[in-house]
Amino acid sequence: MTTHRSHFKGRVVLTAAIAIAVFGTAFSVTARAADPLKIAVSGPFTGGSSSMGISMRDGVRLAIDEINKSGGVLGRQIVAVERDDEAKNERGVQIAQEMINKERVVAVVGYVNTGVALASQRFYQEAKTPVMNNVATGSVITHQFDKEPENYVFRNAAHDSIQAPMIVEEAITRRGFKKVAILADSTNYGQLGREDLEKALKAKGITPVAVEKFNVKDVDMTAQLLKAREAGAETVLTYGIGPELAQIANGMTKLGWKVPLVGSWSLSMGNFIDNAGPSGDGARMPQTFIQEPTNPKRQAFIISFLKTFNPKNARMDSPVSAAQGYDSVYLLAAAIKQAGSTDGPKIKSALEDLKAPVEGVVTNYVKPFSKTNHEAIGAGSAVFGEVRGGKVVYAYAEDQKKASMEVARK
């Protein structure tokens, strides 16, 4: 009898142990399934590039909040792991290593500065973690790993190979200038952009009369502007960021030399517009998004952004950065949902073959990427903006009409 009881007791204990183990495993699986889905957000939230970085980050936050309120992705809430890369290459590298090794993110969105992107994204490439560049425009960014079997770097911003020909077309063909000067900053962004400008000018049979360089944080552009003026420049083409671009505009005013400024999209930055004041009026630049409610999606985005973040003068500091940041999250979420997984290679494959259109603020993304093309934005999706009275508006009526078109044109 004692033996029977002991045997029975043993079976009870064993059964209980199995039940606990099964329950524990089930609980563990459920817990893992409900774990937050971490996405890295890397950009400059301080310093001269911060108007782009903060606007991008806020656009990302808005999209994540909307997605989470509708149930998240794969039943999981998205969590943004935000880091200020300070527009410094070495800081970007540190952040990338932290995100991969410590935070275990499933993807990264961001990068405002071309140099930071090029220095940092190699670590994500090695870790097979998808990168969605949503602001940085250096043409080489999505081609950095072309020689490797798989490329984990994507972008939804108008790269410089799109912008530079647009800038030249505006200055040479549309406005008839024959003598142009180029002023570009000394960063990777500025110098790669300058190369793209010179290439586009050469295609038109034009050699710039002056090519001048300046450094980030320079406050006096007199020497460069005098060389451009003495060379007979009829327009100045720029590649730089807001604070220094404002110094160019203000320097021209001080010299009493007013020729049109036509440059890359960064002439739309709030810290260019505010620091240049009236001297910045008339500056023109390619844009993927202008803060005007040209369709219901853009109207809803603008209303939500202004209500949530309450920016000064009801103006996004960098509308392009905000819109592209917002869209980048929806593109990534669509890929994760389609993949049914947070595995990097599966997300990458899904991005390269997105089945369902993604309604964005910049455009409706229909098959935005492929195995050989990791650029979501084509030349047909960019328009020309102009600084007028403290904000960016459409430079041409046809561009405003074009902005209402729904589908990305490549």
Side-chain angles (χ1 to χ4, degrees):
M1 190 70 173
T2 304
T3 303
H4 176 74
R5 281 179 179 169
S6 297
H7 182 65
F8 179 75
K9 184 178 179 181
R11 280 190 297 170
V12 171
V13 171
L14 180 62
T15 304
I18 293 170
I20 290 168
V22 170
F23 176 77
T25 302
F27 178 78
S28 176
V29 170
T30 305
R32 282 200 302 273
D35 282 348
L37 193 156
K38 289 184 178 182
I39 295 176
V41 184
S42 184
F45 307 142
T46 55
S49 297
S50 62
S51 67
M52 296 182 286
I54 291 171
S55 294
M56 177 274 291
R57 183 194 67 193
D58 289 348
V60 166
R61 286 178 176 178
L62 200 61
I64 288 174
D65 185 58
E66 290 175 1
I67 292 169
N68 285 343
K69 283 179 178 175
S70 65
V73 181
L74 305 182
R76 299 166 65 179
Q77 296 283 284
I78 301 175
V79 170
V81 186
E82 300 172 353
R83 294 291 184 274
D84 179 7
D85 62 34
E86 304 169 24
K88 295 176 180 176
N89 296 3
E90 63 276 13
R91 178 64 184 139
V93 167
Q94 291 171 353
I95 291 168
Q97 292 172 326
E98 177 194 354
M99 293 297 176
I100 294 163
N101 300 320
K102 181 182 176 184
E103 298 293 344
R104 310 280 184 182
V105 298
V106 302
V108 57
V109 299
Y111 293 123
V112 165
N113 305 91
T114 294
V116 179
L118 293 174
S120 308
Q121 62 191 19
R122 66 179 67 252
F123 296 94
Y124 292 106
Q125 172 75 11
E126 290 170 4
K128 299 184 177 180
T129 302
V131 180
M132 183 67 73
N133 277 277
N134 53 26
V135 180
T137 57
S139 300
V140 70
I141 281 175
T142 54
H143 299 287
Q144 191 175 9
F145 308 110
D146 278 355
K147 293 181 179 179
E148 297 188 16
E150 302 292 335
N151 178 10
Y152 283 81
V153 179
F154 297 81
R155 172 162 49 194
N156 67 307
H159 55 86
D160 293 333
S161 296
I162 290 173
Q163 292 190 65
M166 284 184 70
I167 293 165
V168 169
E169 183 72 16
E170 168 72 12
I172 306 301
T173 306
R174 226 167 185 175
R175 302 176 75 174
F177 300 123
K178 296 291 185 272
K179 295 183 177 181
V180 305
I182 298 174
L183 268 67
D185 72 28
S186 58
T187 67
N188 282 332
Y189 171 66
Q191 291 308 300
L192 291 170
R194 172 191 55 76
E195 289 176 10
D196 285 332
L197 279 178
E198 290 182 312
K199 191 184 302 181
L201 284 167
K202 187 176 181 180
K204 295 279 188 185
I206 301 287
T207 300
V209 296
V211 179
E212 295 296 318
K213 186 191 295 187
F214 56 89
N215 296 318
V216 172
K217 296 185 179 179
D218 278 359
V219 294
D220 186 358
M221 304 294 177
T222 304
Q224 294 94 327
L225 290 170
L226 283 173
K227 288 181 182 177
R229 185 175 73 174
E230 289 165 5
E234 301 166 315
T235 183
V236 173
L237 311 186
T238 63
Y239 251 89
I241 61 171
E244 292 75 46
L245 296 175
Q247 295 297 340
I248 292 173
N250 291 332
M252 291 168 70
T253 298
K254 288 176 185 175
L255 291 173
W257 181 54
K258 186 61 175 174
V259 297
L261 277 181
V262 185
S264 62
W265 74 274
S266 49
L267 279 166
S268 66
M269 290 171 63
N271 53 14
F272 166 73
I273 296 170
D274 293 340
N275 292 336
S279 298
D281 274 7
R284 289 185 181 176
M285 75 302 288
Q287 299 281 273
T288 59
F289 173 77
I290 288 172
Q291 191 182 324
E292 290 189 21
T294 51
N295 64 30
K297 179 70 175 179
R298 293 190 185 111
Q299 181 179 39
F301 170 71
I302 292 167
I303 290 170
S304 183
F305 191 100
L306 297 182
K307 181 180 178 182
T308 304
F309 304 109
N310 192 29
K312 182 181 176 183
N313 299 324
R315 186 199 68 200
M316 300 174 191
D317 264 1
S318 179
V320 166
S321 303
Q324 292 169 179
Y326 177 90
D327 285 1
S328 69
V329 177
Y330 274 96
L331 286 166
L332 196 55
I336 294 170
K337 181 180 178 182
Q338 180 176 308
S341 170
T342 57
D343 178 64
K346 291 179 181 177
I347 296 172
K348 181 192 79 73
S349 295
L351 281 168
E352 292 173 340
D353 186 28
L354 279 176
K355 307 294 185 186
V358 175
E359 185 182 13
V361 174
V362 170
T363 188
N364 269 10
Y365 301 87
V366 178
K367 297 277 184 186
F369 305 111
S370 69
K371 179 77 173 175
T372 56
N373 180 11
H374 283 195
E375 302 281 0
I377 303 295
S381 293
V383 299
F384 251 93
E386 179 178 316
V387 177
R388 292 183 205 156
K391 63 180 181 178
V392 175
V393 299
Y394 288 94
Y396 298 101
E398 59 264 35
D399 276 351
Q400 190 165 17
K401 183 179 178 182
K402 178 180 173 181
S404 300
M405 301 292 284
E406 291 293 327
V407 179
R409 295 165 297 281
K410 288 198 170 187

